[in-house]
PDB file of all heavy atoms in Angstrom:
ATOM      1  N   LEU A   1     -35.008  97.830 157.436  1.00  0.00           N
ATOM      2  CA  LEU A   1     -36.376  97.388 157.624  1.00  0.00           C
ATOM      3  C   LEU A   1     -36.461  95.957 157.094  1.00  0.00           C
ATOM      4  O   LEU A   1     -36.337  95.709 155.896  1.00  0.00           O
ATOM      5  CB  LEU A   1     -37.354  98.277 156.856  1.00  0.00           C
ATOM      6  CG  LEU A   1     -37.446  99.736 157.297  1.00  0.00           C
ATOM      7  CD1 LEU A   1     -38.327 100.523 156.349  1.00  0.00           C
ATOM      8  CD2 LEU A   1     -37.942  99.828 158.702  1.00  0.00           C
ATOM      9  N   GLY A   2     -36.610  95.011 157.962  1.00  0.00           N
ATOM     10  CA  GLY A   2     -36.644  93.618 157.539  1.00  0.00           C
ATOM     11  C   GLY A   2     -35.342  93.213 156.883  1.00  0.00           C
ATOM     12  O   GLY A   2     -34.269  93.429 157.426  1.00  0.00           O
ATOM     13  N   ASN A   3     -35.414  92.709 155.669  1.00  0.00           N
ATOM     14  CA  ASN A   3     -34.242  92.260 154.912  1.00  0.00           C
ATOM     15  C   ASN A   3     -33.786  93.264 153.872  1.00  0.00           C
ATOM     16  O   ASN A   3     -32.934  92.977 153.036  1.00  0.00           O
ATOM     17  CB  ASN A   3     -34.501  90.917 154.222  1.00  0.00           C
ATOM     18  CG  ASN A   3     -34.618  89.811 155.242  1.00  0.00           C
ATOM     19  OD1 ASN A   3     -34.035  89.872 156.299  1.00  0.00           O
ATOM     20  ND2 ASN A   3     -35.393  88.773 154.881  1.00  0.00           N
ATOM     21  N   MET A   4     -34.356  94.484 153.899  1.00  0.00           N
ATOM     22  CA  MET A   4     -33.964  95.509 152.910  1.00  0.00           C
ATOM     23  C   MET A   4     -32.588  96.073 153.260  1.00  0.00           C
ATOM     24  O   MET A   4     -32.367  96.433 154.426  1.00  0.00           O
ATOM     25  CB  MET A   4     -34.995  96.615 152.879  1.00  0.00           C
ATOM     26  CG  MET A   4     -36.314  96.214 152.295  1.00  0.00           C
ATOM     27  SD  MET A   4     -37.479  97.607 152.274  1.00  0.00           S
ATOM     28  CE  MET A   4     -36.630  98.792 151.318  1.00  0.00           C
ATOM     29  N   PRO A   5     -31.682  96.131 152.267  1.00  0.00           N
ATOM     30  CA  PRO A   5     -30.355  96.711 152.550  1.00  0.00           C
ATOM     31  C   PRO A   5     -30.471  98.205 152.788  1.00  0.00           C
ATOM     32  O   PRO A   5     -31.365  98.915 152.272  1.00  0.00           O
ATOM     33  CB  PRO A   5     -29.593  96.422 151.290  1.00  0.00           C
ATOM     34  CG  PRO A   5     -30.618  96.240 150.214  1.00  0.00           C
ATOM     35  CD  PRO A   5     -31.860  95.713 150.894  1.00  0.00           C
ATOM     36  N   GLN A   6     -29.546  98.723 153.607  1.00  0.00           N
ATOM     37  CA  GLN A   6     -29.496 100.148 153.875  1.00  0.00           C
ATOM     38  C   GLN A   6     -28.996 100.864 152.595  1.00  0.00           C
ATOM     39  O   GLN A   6     -28.069 100.399 151.957  1.00  0.00           O
ATOM     40  CB  GLN A   6     -28.557 100.410 155.044  1.00  0.00           C
ATOM     41  CG  GLN A   6     -28.571 101.837 155.475  1.00  0.00           C
ATOM     42  CD  GLN A   6     -27.700 101.980 156.760  1.00  0.00           C
ATOM     43  OE1 GLN A   6     -27.098 101.047 157.214  1.00  0.00           O
ATOM     44  NE2 GLN A   6     -27.696 103.150 157.300  1.00  0.00           N
ATOM     45  N   THR A   7     -29.600 101.971 152.248  1.00  0.00           N
ATOM     46  CA  THR A   7     -29.180 102.715 151.037  1.00  0.00           C
ATOM     47  C   THR A   7     -28.207 103.798 151.426  1.00  0.00           C
ATOM     48  O   THR A   7     -28.182 104.272 152.559  1.00  0.00           O
ATOM     49  CB  THR A   7     -30.363 103.323 150.320  1.00  0.00           C
ATOM     50  OG1 THR A   7     -31.040 104.187 151.194  1.00  0.00           O
ATOM     51  CG2 THR A   7     -31.342 102.240 149.807  1.00  0.00           C
ATOM     52  N   ILE A   8     -27.412 104.199 150.447  1.00  0.00           N
ATOM     53  CA  ILE A   8     -26.441 105.281 150.647  1.00  0.00           C
ATOM     54  C   ILE A   8     -27.087 106.595 150.167  1.00  0.00           C
ATOM     55  O   ILE A   8     -27.632 106.652 149.081  1.00  0.00           O
ATOM     56  CB  ILE A   8     -25.156 105.009 149.872  1.00  0.00           C
ATOM     57  CG1 ILE A   8     -24.517 103.705 150.380  1.00  0.00           C
ATOM     58  CG2 ILE A   8     -24.181 106.178 149.966  1.00  0.00           C
ATOM     59  CD1 ILE A   8     -23.355 103.231 149.570  1.00  0.00           C
ATOM     60  N   SER A   9     -27.002 107.587 150.961  1.00  0.00           N
ATOM     61  CA  SER A   9     -27.585 108.874 150.558  1.00  0.00           C
ATOM     62  C   SER A   9     -26.706 109.568 149.550  1.00  0.00           C
ATOM     63  O   SER A   9     -25.476 109.342 149.492  1.00  0.00           O
ATOM     64  CB  SER A   9     -27.795 109.735 151.768  1.00  0.00           C
ATOM     65  OG  SER A   9     -26.545 110.222 152.237  1.00  0.00           O
ATOM     66  N   PRO A  10     -27.237 110.451 148.727  1.00  0.00           N
ATOM     67  CA  PRO A  10     -26.445 111.161 147.706  1.00  0.00           C
ATOM     68  C   PRO A  10     -25.336 112.033 148.314  1.00  0.00           C
ATOM     69  O   PRO A  10     -24.392 112.377 147.613  1.00  0.00           O
ATOM     70  CB  PRO A  10     -27.462 112.013 146.960  1.00  0.00           C
ATOM     71  CG  PRO A  10     -28.800 111.488 147.364  1.00  0.00           C
ATOM     72  CD  PRO A  10     -28.666 110.784 148.652  1.00  0.00           C
ATOM     73  N   THR A  11     -25.470 112.367 149.597  1.00  0.00           N
ATOM     74  CA  THR A  11     -24.447 113.223 150.178  1.00  0.00           C
ATOM     75  C   THR A  11     -23.197 112.460 150.619  1.00  0.00           C
ATOM     76  O   THR A  11     -22.197 113.040 150.920  1.00  0.00           O
ATOM     77  CB  THR A  11     -25.044 113.972 151.417  1.00  0.00           C
ATOM     78  OG1 THR A  11     -25.563 112.998 152.324  1.00  0.00           O
ATOM     79  CG2 THR A  11     -26.135 114.904 150.975  1.00  0.00           C
ATOM     80  N   ASP A  12     -23.312 111.091 150.696  1.00  0.00           N
ATOM     81  CA  ASP A  12     -22.153 110.293 151.058  1.00  0.00           C
ATOM     82  C   ASP A  12     -21.123 110.401 149.953  1.00  0.00           C
ATOM     83  O   ASP A  12     -21.418 110.554 148.775  1.00  0.00           O
ATOM     84  CB  ASP A  12     -22.525 108.855 151.260  1.00  0.00           C
ATOM     85  CG  ASP A  12     -23.372 108.629 152.494  1.00  0.00           C
ATOM     86  OD1 ASP A  12     -23.415 109.525 153.363  1.00  0.00           O
ATOM     87  OD2 ASP A  12     -23.941 107.527 152.631  1.00  0.00           O
ATOM     88  N   SER A  13     -19.820 110.269 150.314  1.00  0.00           N
ATOM     89  CA  SER A  13     -18.754 110.387 149.332  1.00  0.00           C
ATOM     90  C   SER A  13     -18.800 109.186 148.401  1.00  0.00           C
ATOM     91  O   SER A  13     -19.039 108.075 148.822  1.00  0.00           O
ATOM     92  CB  SER A  13     -17.403 110.507 150.029  1.00  0.00           C
ATOM     93  OG  SER A  13     -17.137 109.347 150.766  1.00  0.00           O
ATOM     94  N   PRO A  14     -18.446 109.393 147.148  1.00  0.00           N
ATOM     95  CA  PRO A  14     -18.427 108.296 146.193  1.00  0.00           C
ATOM     96  C   PRO A  14     -17.251 107.362 146.494  1.00  0.00           C
ATOM     97  O   PRO A  14     -16.279 107.734 147.148  1.00  0.00           O
ATOM     98  CB  PRO A  14     -18.231 108.984 144.837  1.00  0.00           C
ATOM     99  CG  PRO A  14     -17.634 110.302 145.143  1.00  0.00           C
ATOM    100  CD  PRO A  14     -18.128 110.668 146.524  1.00  0.00           C
ATOM    101  N   ALA A  15     -17.379 106.135 145.981  1.00  0.00           N
ATOM    102  CA  ALA A  15     -16.305 105.152 146.213  1.00  0.00           C
ATOM    103  C   ALA A  15     -15.033 105.594 145.520  1.00  0.00           C
ATOM    104  O   ALA A  15     -15.077 106.228 144.481  1.00  0.00           O
ATOM    105  CB  ALA A  15     -16.734 103.790 145.689  1.00  0.00           C
ATOM    106  N   LYS A  16     -13.894 105.253 146.122  1.00  0.00           N
ATOM    107  CA  LYS A  16     -12.607 105.582 145.564  1.00  0.00           C
ATOM    108  C   LYS A  16     -12.438 104.764 144.266  1.00  0.00           C
ATOM    109  O   LYS A  16     -12.731 103.607 144.236  1.00  0.00           O
ATOM    110  CB  LYS A  16     -11.491 105.197 146.579  1.00  0.00           C
ATOM    111  CG  LYS A  16     -10.130 105.649 146.200  1.00  0.00           C
ATOM    112  CD  LYS A  16      -9.169 105.358 147.299  1.00  0.00           C
ATOM    113  CE  LYS A  16      -7.781 105.820 146.962  1.00  0.00           C
ATOM    114  NZ  LYS A  16      -6.822 105.544 148.030  1.00  0.00           N
ATOM    115  N   PRO A  17     -11.891 105.376 143.199  1.00  0.00           N
ATOM    116  CA  PRO A  17     -11.694 104.641 141.946  1.00  0.00           C
ATOM    117  C   PRO A  17     -10.740 103.452 142.161  1.00  0.00           C
ATOM    118  O   PRO A  17      -9.876 103.505 143.020  1.00  0.00           O
ATOM    119  CB  PRO A  17     -11.065 105.673 141.002  1.00  0.00           C
ATOM    120  CG  PRO A  17     -11.292 106.977 141.651  1.00  0.00           C
ATOM    121  CD  PRO A  17     -11.478 106.752 143.100  1.00  0.00           C
ATOM    122  N   LYS A  18     -10.917 102.433 141.351  1.00  0.00           N
ATOM    123  CA  LYS A  18     -10.072 101.295 141.432  1.00  0.00           C
ATOM    124  C   LYS A  18      -8.642 101.628 141.041  1.00  0.00           C
ATOM    125  O   LYS A  18      -8.395 102.652 140.389  1.00  0.00           O
ATOM    126  CB  LYS A  18     -10.619 100.145 140.555  1.00  0.00           C
ATOM    127  CG  LYS A  18     -11.945  99.645 141.055  1.00  0.00           C
ATOM    128  CD  LYS A  18     -12.363  98.393 140.371  1.00  0.00           C
ATOM    129  CE  LYS A  18     -13.637  97.875 140.973  1.00  0.00           C
ATOM    130  NZ  LYS A  18     -13.853  96.497 140.692  1.00  0.00           N
ATOM    131  N   LEU A  19      -7.697 100.763 141.419  1.00  0.00           N
ATOM    132  CA  LEU A  19      -6.311 101.025 141.231  1.00  0.00           C
ATOM    133  C   LEU A  19      -5.920 101.392 139.817  1.00  0.00           C
ATOM    134  O   LEU A  19      -5.296 102.429 139.573  1.00  0.00           O
ATOM    135  CB  LEU A  19      -5.455  99.809 141.674  1.00  0.00           C
ATOM    136  CG  LEU A  19      -3.998  99.928 141.370  1.00  0.00           C
ATOM    137  CD1 LEU A  19      -3.351 100.961 142.323  1.00  0.00           C
ATOM    138  CD2 LEU A  19      -3.291  98.613 141.520  1.00  0.00           C
ATOM    139  N   LEU A  20      -6.341 100.599 138.818  1.00  0.00           N
ATOM    140  CA  LEU A  20      -5.914 100.877 137.434  1.00  0.00           C
ATOM    141  C   LEU A  20      -6.530 102.194 136.939  1.00  0.00           C
ATOM    142  O   LEU A  20      -5.906 102.904 136.146  1.00  0.00           O
ATOM    143  CB  LEU A  20      -6.294  99.717 136.524  1.00  0.00           C
ATOM    144  CG  LEU A  20      -5.436  98.452 136.772  1.00  0.00           C
ATOM    145  CD1 LEU A  20      -5.883  97.353 135.809  1.00  0.00           C
ATOM    146  CD2 LEU A  20      -3.973  98.705 136.649  1.00  0.00           C
ATOM    147  N   GLU A  21      -7.698 102.543 137.433  1.00  0.00           N
ATOM    148  CA  GLU A  21      -8.322 103.848 137.041  1.00  0.00           C
ATOM    149  C   GLU A  21      -7.499 104.972 137.657  1.00  0.00           C
ATOM    150  O   GLU A  21      -7.276 106.036 136.994  1.00  0.00           O
ATOM    151  CB  GLU A  21      -9.756 103.896 137.457  1.00  0.00           C
ATOM    152  CG  GLU A  21     -10.511 105.060 136.861  1.00  0.00           C
ATOM    153  CD  GLU A  21     -10.462 105.063 135.319  1.00  0.00           C
ATOM    154  OE1 GLU A  21     -10.630 104.009 134.665  1.00  0.00           O
ATOM    155  OE2 GLU A  21     -10.252 106.173 134.766  1.00  0.00           O
ATOM    156  N   GLN A  22      -6.990 104.798 138.844  1.00  0.00           N
ATOM    157  CA  GLN A  22      -6.167 105.799 139.495  1.00  0.00           C
ATOM    158  C   GLN A  22      -4.873 105.973 138.737  1.00  0.00           C
ATOM    159  O   GLN A  22      -4.356 107.101 138.519  1.00  0.00           O
ATOM    160  CB  GLN A  22      -5.889 105.441 140.929  1.00  0.00           C
ATOM    161  CG  GLN A  22      -7.121 105.478 141.831  1.00  0.00           C
ATOM    162  CD  GLN A  22      -6.781 104.992 143.224  1.00  0.00           C
ATOM    163  OE1 GLN A  22      -5.695 105.208 143.721  1.00  0.00           O
ATOM    164  NE2 GLN A  22      -7.726 104.340 143.875  1.00  0.00           N
ATOM    165  N   VAL A  23      -4.297 104.832 138.305  1.00  0.00           N
ATOM    166  CA  VAL A  23      -3.063 104.870 137.525  1.00  0.00           C
ATOM    167  C   VAL A  23      -3.291 105.607 136.211  1.00  0.00           C
ATOM    168  O   VAL A  23      -2.466 106.436 135.800  1.00  0.00           O
ATOM    169  CB  VAL A  23      -2.532 103.451 137.288  1.00  0.00           C
ATOM    170  CG1 VAL A  23      -1.402 103.421 136.267  1.00  0.00           C
ATOM    171  CG2 VAL A  23      -2.089 102.796 138.567  1.00  0.00           C
ATOM    172  N   ARG A  24      -4.389 105.309 135.559  1.00  0.00           N
ATOM    173  CA  ARG A  24      -4.730 105.973 134.276  1.00  0.00           C
ATOM    174  C   ARG A  24      -4.789 107.505 134.470  1.00  0.00           C
ATOM    175  O   ARG A  24      -4.322 108.269 133.667  1.00  0.00           O
ATOM    176  CB  ARG A  24      -6.033 105.481 133.707  1.00  0.00           C
ATOM    177  CG  ARG A  24      -5.915 104.114 133.073  1.00  0.00           C
ATOM    178  CD  ARG A  24      -7.260 103.693 132.452  1.00  0.00           C
ATOM    179  NE  ARG A  24      -7.180 102.337 132.014  1.00  0.00           N
ATOM    180  CZ  ARG A  24      -7.642 101.281 132.737  1.00  0.00           C
ATOM    181  NH1 ARG A  24      -8.248 101.475 133.904  1.00  0.00           N
ATOM    182  NH2 ARG A  24      -7.526 100.062 132.293  1.00  0.00           N
ATOM    183  N   HIS A  25      -5.358 107.885 135.620  1.00  0.00           N
ATOM    184  CA  HIS A  25      -5.446 109.337 135.936  1.00  0.00           C
ATOM    185  C   HIS A  25      -4.092 109.957 136.056  1.00  0.00           C
ATOM    186  O   HIS A  25      -3.835 111.038 135.499  1.00  0.00           O
ATOM    187  CB  HIS A  25      -6.281 109.540 137.180  1.00  0.00           C
ATOM    188  CG  HIS A  25      -6.431 110.944 137.612  1.00  0.00           C
ATOM    189  ND1 HIS A  25      -7.252 111.835 136.930  1.00  0.00           N
ATOM    190  CD2 HIS A  25      -5.849 111.649 138.609  1.00  0.00           C
ATOM    191  CE1 HIS A  25      -7.150 113.004 137.497  1.00  0.00           C
ATOM    192  NE2 HIS A  25      -6.296 112.946 138.538  1.00  0.00           N
ATOM    193  N   VAL A  26      -3.210 109.302 136.759  1.00  0.00           N
ATOM    194  CA  VAL A  26      -1.817 109.815 136.931  1.00  0.00           C
ATOM    195  C   VAL A  26      -1.130 109.928 135.552  1.00  0.00           C
ATOM    196  O   VAL A  26      -0.509 110.928 135.228  1.00  0.00           O
ATOM    197  CB  VAL A  26      -1.000 108.940 137.850  1.00  0.00           C
ATOM    198  CG1 VAL A  26       0.478 109.320 137.831  1.00  0.00           C
ATOM    199  CG2 VAL A  26      -1.532 109.002 139.256  1.00  0.00           C
ATOM    200  N   ILE A  27      -1.264 108.929 134.715  1.00  0.00           N
ATOM    201  CA  ILE A  27      -0.636 108.881 133.394  1.00  0.00           C
ATOM    202  C   ILE A  27      -1.203 110.007 132.543  1.00  0.00           C
ATOM    203  O   ILE A  27      -0.404 110.672 131.833  1.00  0.00           O
ATOM    204  CB  ILE A  27      -0.835 107.499 132.747  1.00  0.00           C
ATOM    205  CG1 ILE A  27      -0.018 106.432 133.489  1.00  0.00           C
ATOM    206  CG2 ILE A  27      -0.474 107.517 131.274  1.00  0.00           C
ATOM    207  CD1 ILE A  27      -0.278 105.021 133.113  1.00  0.00           C
ATOM    208  N   ARG A  28      -2.477 110.187 132.580  1.00  0.00           N
ATOM    209  CA  ARG A  28      -3.095 111.264 131.716  1.00  0.00           C
ATOM    210  C   ARG A  28      -2.634 112.639 132.242  1.00  0.00           C
ATOM    211  O   ARG A  28      -2.439 113.544 131.464  1.00  0.00           O
ATOM    212  CB  ARG A  28      -4.593 111.100 131.722  1.00  0.00           C
ATOM    213  CG  ARG A  28      -5.041 109.907 130.962  1.00  0.00           C
ATOM    214  CD  ARG A  28      -6.509 109.621 131.031  1.00  0.00           C
ATOM    215  NE  ARG A  28      -6.762 108.353 130.372  1.00  0.00           N
ATOM    216  CZ  ARG A  28      -7.920 107.733 130.454  1.00  0.00           C
ATOM    217  NH1 ARG A  28      -8.907 108.223 131.188  1.00  0.00           N
ATOM    218  NH2 ARG A  28      -8.101 106.577 129.883  1.00  0.00           N
ATOM    219  N   ARG A  29      -2.547 112.772 133.558  1.00  0.00           N
ATOM    220  CA  ARG A  29      -2.113 114.051 134.127  1.00  0.00           C
ATOM    221  C   ARG A  29      -0.685 114.387 133.681  1.00  0.00           C
ATOM    222  O   ARG A  29      -0.315 115.545 133.508  1.00  0.00           O
ATOM    223  CB  ARG A  29      -2.186 113.995 135.674  1.00  0.00           C
ATOM    224  CG  ARG A  29      -1.968 115.354 136.316  1.00  0.00           C
ATOM    225  CD  ARG A  29      -2.113 115.304 137.833  1.00  0.00           C
ATOM    226  NE  ARG A  29      -1.058 114.502 138.419  1.00  0.00           N
ATOM    227  CZ  ARG A  29      -1.250 113.486 139.277  1.00  0.00           C
ATOM    228  NH1 ARG A  29      -2.447 113.182 139.668  1.00  0.00           N
ATOM    229  NH2 ARG A  29      -0.229 112.838 139.789  1.00  0.00           N
ATOM    230  N   LYS A  30       0.133 113.335 133.453  1.00  0.00           N
ATOM    231  CA  LYS A  30       1.527 113.531 133.001  1.00  0.00           C
ATOM    232  C   LYS A  30       1.593 113.624 131.457  1.00  0.00           C
ATOM    233  O   LYS A  30       2.703 113.755 130.931  1.00  0.00           O
ATOM    234  CB  LYS A  30       2.381 112.354 133.463  1.00  0.00           C
ATOM    235  CG  LYS A  30       2.601 112.366 134.967  1.00  0.00           C
ATOM    236  CD  LYS A  30       3.484 111.219 135.334  1.00  0.00           C
ATOM    237  CE  LYS A  30       3.913 111.377 136.787  1.00  0.00           C
ATOM    238  NZ  LYS A  30       5.137 110.676 137.090  1.00  0.00           N
ATOM    239  N   HIS A  31       0.456 113.507 130.795  1.00  0.00           N
ATOM    240  CA  HIS A  31       0.379 113.648 129.333  1.00  0.00           C
ATOM    241  C   HIS A  31       1.161 112.568 128.602  1.00  0.00           C
ATOM    242  O   HIS A  31       1.764 112.798 127.564  1.00  0.00           O
ATOM    243  CB  HIS A  31       0.806 115.043 128.877  1.00  0.00           C
ATOM    244  CG  HIS A  31       0.085 116.143 129.510  1.00  0.00           C
ATOM    245  ND1 HIS A  31      -1.235 116.412 129.214  1.00  0.00           N
ATOM    246  CD2 HIS A  31       0.412 117.011 130.491  1.00  0.00           C
ATOM    247  CE1 HIS A  31      -1.662 117.435 129.983  1.00  0.00           C
ATOM    248  NE2 HIS A  31      -0.667 117.795 130.754  1.00  0.00           N
ATOM    249  N   PHE A  32       1.161 111.321 129.172  1.00  0.00           N
ATOM    250  CA  PHE A  32       1.762 110.216 128.473  1.00  0.00           C
ATOM    251  C   PHE A  32       0.858 109.789 127.328  1.00  0.00           C
ATOM    252  O   PHE A  32      -0.326 110.069 127.321  1.00  0.00           O
ATOM    253  CB  PHE A  32       1.969 109.045 129.414  1.00  0.00           C
ATOM    254  CG  PHE A  32       3.067 109.236 130.461  1.00  0.00           C
ATOM    255  CD1 PHE A  32       3.303 108.242 131.373  1.00  0.00           C
ATOM    256  CD2 PHE A  32       3.829 110.360 130.486  1.00  0.00           C
ATOM    257  CE1 PHE A  32       4.312 108.376 132.335  1.00  0.00           C
ATOM    258  CE2 PHE A  32       4.825 110.534 131.445  1.00  0.00           C
ATOM    259  CZ  PHE A  32       5.045 109.530 132.359  1.00  0.00           C
ATOM    260  N   SER A  33       1.378 109.050 126.348  1.00  0.00           N
ATOM    261  CA  SER A  33       0.620 108.596 125.224  1.00  0.00           C
ATOM    262  C   SER A  33      -0.361 107.476 125.646  1.00  0.00           C
ATOM    263  O   SER A  33      -0.151 106.834 126.693  1.00  0.00           O
ATOM    264  CB  SER A  33       1.537 108.087 124.122  1.00  0.00           C
ATOM    265  OG  SER A  33       2.086 106.850 124.456  1.00  0.00           O
ATOM    266  N   LEU A  34      -1.361 107.238 124.788  1.00  0.00           N
ATOM    267  CA  LEU A  34      -2.326 106.215 125.066  1.00  0.00           C
ATOM    268  C   LEU A  34      -1.615 104.842 125.053  1.00  0.00           C
ATOM    269  O   LEU A  34      -1.928 103.985 125.855  1.00  0.00           O
ATOM    270  CB  LEU A  34      -3.410 106.233 124.022  1.00  0.00           C
ATOM    271  CG  LEU A  34      -4.525 105.201 124.158  1.00  0.00           C
ATOM    272  CD1 LEU A  34      -5.217 105.298 125.504  1.00  0.00           C
ATOM    273  CD2 LEU A  34      -5.520 105.292 123.026  1.00  0.00           C
ATOM    274  N   ARG A  35      -0.680 104.643 124.172  1.00  0.00           N
ATOM    275  CA  ARG A  35       0.069 103.356 124.117  1.00  0.00           C
ATOM    276  C   ARG A  35       0.870 103.157 125.401  1.00  0.00           C
ATOM    277  O   ARG A  35       0.946 102.029 125.894  1.00  0.00           O
ATOM    278  CB  ARG A  35       1.038 103.360 122.907  1.00  0.00           C
ATOM    279  CG  ARG A  35       0.330 103.361 121.565  1.00  0.00           C
ATOM    280  CD  ARG A  35      -0.325 102.098 121.209  1.00  0.00           C
ATOM    281  NE  ARG A  35       0.693 101.106 120.962  1.00  0.00           N
ATOM    282  CZ  ARG A  35       0.491  99.812 121.088  1.00  0.00           C
ATOM    283  NH1 ARG A  35      -0.638  99.348 121.492  1.00  0.00           N
ATOM    284  NH2 ARG A  35       1.465  98.967 120.882  1.00  0.00           N
ATOM    285  N   THR A  36       1.426 104.190 125.968  1.00  0.00           N
ATOM    286  CA  THR A  36       2.153 104.077 127.217  1.00  0.00           C
ATOM    287  C   THR A  36       1.186 103.713 128.369  1.00  0.00           C
ATOM    288  O   THR A  36       1.466 102.829 129.165  1.00  0.00           O
ATOM    289  CB  THR A  36       2.918 105.370 127.583  1.00  0.00           C
ATOM    290  OG1 THR A  36       3.816 105.662 126.526  1.00  0.00           O
ATOM    291  CG2 THR A  36       3.619 105.322 128.916  1.00  0.00           C
ATOM    292  N   GLU A  37       0.037 104.354 128.363  1.00  0.00           N
ATOM    293  CA  GLU A  37      -1.015 104.012 129.346  1.00  0.00           C
ATOM    294  C   GLU A  37      -1.393 102.575 129.266  1.00  0.00           C
ATOM    295  O   GLU A  37      -1.471 101.877 130.282  1.00  0.00           O
ATOM    296  CB  GLU A  37      -2.235 104.940 129.115  1.00  0.00           C
ATOM    297  CG  GLU A  37      -3.359 104.629 130.045  1.00  0.00           C
ATOM    298  CD  GLU A  37      -4.590 105.506 129.746  1.00  0.00           C
ATOM    299  OE1 GLU A  37      -4.433 106.687 129.389  1.00  0.00           O
ATOM    300  OE2 GLU A  37      -5.710 104.973 129.877  1.00  0.00           O
ATOM    301  N   GLN A  38      -1.620 102.093 128.040  1.00  0.00           N
ATOM    302  CA  GLN A  38      -1.995 100.680 127.867  1.00  0.00           C
ATOM    303  C   GLN A  38      -0.893  99.717 128.323  1.00  0.00           C
ATOM    304  O   GLN A  38      -1.162  98.732 128.985  1.00  0.00           O
ATOM    305  CB  GLN A  38      -2.339 100.429 126.371  1.00  0.00           C
ATOM    306  CG  GLN A  38      -3.642 101.123 125.975  1.00  0.00           C
ATOM    307  CD  GLN A  38      -3.794 101.118 124.452  1.00  0.00           C
ATOM    308  OE1 GLN A  38      -2.869 100.931 123.694  1.00  0.00           O
ATOM    309  NE2 GLN A  38      -5.057 101.339 124.014  1.00  0.00           N
ATOM    310  N   ALA A  39       0.336 100.072 127.983  1.00  0.00           N
ATOM    311  CA  ALA A  39       1.469  99.220 128.364  1.00  0.00           C
ATOM    312  C   ALA A  39       1.646  99.192 129.892  1.00  0.00           C
ATOM    313  O   ALA A  39       1.791  98.122 130.464  1.00  0.00           O
ATOM    314  CB  ALA A  39       2.740  99.699 127.702  1.00  0.00           C
TER     315      ALA A  39
END
């Protein structure tokens, strides 16, 4: 409507996590230490 941006409905899928967040997830799933995750 005019210059109003289109909104996303709550039923739309959420955005894919960023790369480093995905990497953190893999590391945590493997039960690596926090220091390893940081490195």
Side-chain angles (χ1 to χ4, degrees):
L1 297 174
N3 290 333
M4 290 181 58
Q6 187 174 3
T7 59
I8 299 172
S9 71
T11 57
D12 289 347
S13 61
K16 188 175 181 181
K18 293 191 176 200
L19 174 70
L20 291 180
E21 193 56 43
Q22 293 176 34
V23 169
R24 285 184 188 97
H25 178 72
V26 170
I27 291 170
R28 290 174 187 168
R29 190 177 66 231
K30 291 182 170 202
H31 304 288
F32 289 178
S33 73
L34 180 59
R35 296 286 292 154
T36 300
E37 177 182 323
Q38 291 168 341

